Amino acid sequence: MATQSSIEWTEQTWNPTTGCTKVSPGCKNCYAEVMARRLHAMGAAGYENEFKLTLHPQRLEQPIKRKKPTVYFVNSMSDLFHDDVSDEFLDRVFDVIKKTSQHTYQILTKRAERLPEYFRHRTCPDNVWLGVSVEDKQYGVPRIGHLRQVNARVRFLSVEPLLEDVGEIDLTDIHWVIVGGESGHKARPMQPEWVESIKRQAEEVGVAFFFKQWGGWGSDGVKRDKKTNGRVLNGRTWDNMPALSINA
Ligand code: SF4
């Protein structure tokens, strides 16, 4: 079922596919993998294949049944643009999205090279916020160029877990940047100056900046537990969202 989300920047999650395979360093401590194994051990419906990519056509109707306008994060437990998700299944997902214009759908992928390919002859619905993960220079930053090629109404970057200084990045036609450190007991530390650099760049070009969390390490480089890891950067929280009103 679609579930209420604890992710700070969304309301509900919708997982028409589950499972994935790792593609880049940001995947190393994948939260979805840990959760899928746990849910499988508990016998939860939909996790019979643990973390193997699995299509769930029976879940496609879920957002149609919900009338209340809702912000959905699509595939918190997978990557919608994984190679094993056919164009035909993607078409079915996007048909549901088009039919439910009362909702907003946030779709985040690490398979960014598939975006311009899939949308070459298709329109990205207006109620989609399309994003890519940018955890480092080698794998993350090149994804931004692929995203920019898609005519999505909102294009966003999830710079999480931020693993190094990504340097100067081209934020042309990007509307929203989320930055966060890694959580969990195997978390890799994030340096404050890496975050500051992205925040400065976003502010210089007027892109909304959202600071999600420090993650498993505090801004002082000391390891924290979940309760105290914090969201404060320079004495305050940063919760800016794109200025566009999607359902206007
Ligand atoms: S792409 Fe996302 S869901 Fe897939 S393994 Fe990497 S972090 Fe996990």
Side-chain angles (χ1 to χ4, degrees), residues 76-220:
S76 59
M77 296 297 289
S78 184
D79 186 332
L80 189 62
F81 289 91
H82 190 284
D83 284 350
D84 291 346
V85 182
S86 65
D87 281 359
E88 290 68 33
F89 193 79
L90 284 177
D91 289 345
R92 294 178 69 185
V93 171
F94 280 99
D95 278 348
V96 170
I97 290 174
K98 278 181 213 149
K99 270 190 211 153
T100 51
S101 58
Q102 76 273 27
H103 302 319
T104 299
Y105 294 87
Q106 298 164 325
I107 302 175
L108 179 64
T109 185
K110 286 190 174 70
R111 272 84 178 175
E113 62 290 343
R114 196 171 170 195
L115 295 177
E117 211 177 281
Y118 177 74
F119 286 108
R120 185 164 301 131
H121 301 296
R122 296 170 177 90
T123 305
C124 185
D126 272 355
N127 56 336
V128 167
W129 297 18
L130 198 60
V132 294
S133 302
V134 182
E135 76 268 42
D136 66 2
K137 277 188 190 170
Q138 186 184 346
Y139 293 90
V141 172
R143 293 182 185 128
I144 305 172
H146 294 301
L147 173 64
R148 212 185 336 265
Q149 291 175 49
V150 182
N151 192 18
R153 192 150 174 214
V154 171
R155 294 181 208 91
F156 71 97
L157 310 182
S158 171
V159 186
E160 186 191 7
L162 178 56
L163 298 176
E164 64 177 359
D165 179 3
V166 292
E168 296 297 307
I169 50 178
D170 182 358
L171 292 174
T172 309
D173 295 332
I174 300 299
H175 306 102
W176 192 30
V177 176
I178 304 160
V179 176
E182 193 165 38
S183 305
H185 65 283
K186 292 183 185 163
R188 292 160 282 183
M190 176 176 70
Q191 301 302 325
E193 51 275 23
W194 305 345
V195 186
E196 292 285 355
S197 164
I198 296 166
K199 177 172 163 293
R200 171 187 55 78
Q201 294 179 59
E203 285 172 352
E204 277 172 7
V205 292
V207 173
F209 177 80
F210 189 106
F211 183 61
K212 189 177 160 201
Q213 58 173 20
W214 283 105
W217 297 77
S219 55
D220 50 8

Side-chain angles (χ1 to χ4, degrees), residues 6-8 31 35 38 182-185 213-217 223-231:
S6 60
I7 301 167
E8 291 79 355
Y31 168 83
M35 280 304 294
R38 201 172 291 167
E182 193 165 38
S183 305
H185 65 283
Q213 58 173 20
W214 283 105
W217 297 77
K223 209 163 188 181
R224 302 289 163 85
D225 64 27
K226 205 174 176 186
K227 290 193 189 92
T228 55
N229 63 11
R231 301 192 54 233

Side-chain angles (χ1 to χ4, degrees), residues 19-24 26-33 51 75-79 82 109-111 133:
C20 199
T21 46
K22 300 187 180 194
V23 284
S24 62
C27 298
K28 187 175 176 197
N29 301 318
C30 174
Y31 168 83
E33 182 183 25
F51 199 49
N75 276 1
S76 59
M77 296 297 289
S78 184
D79 186 332
H82 190 284
T109 185
K110 286 190 174 70
R111 272 84 178 175
S133 302

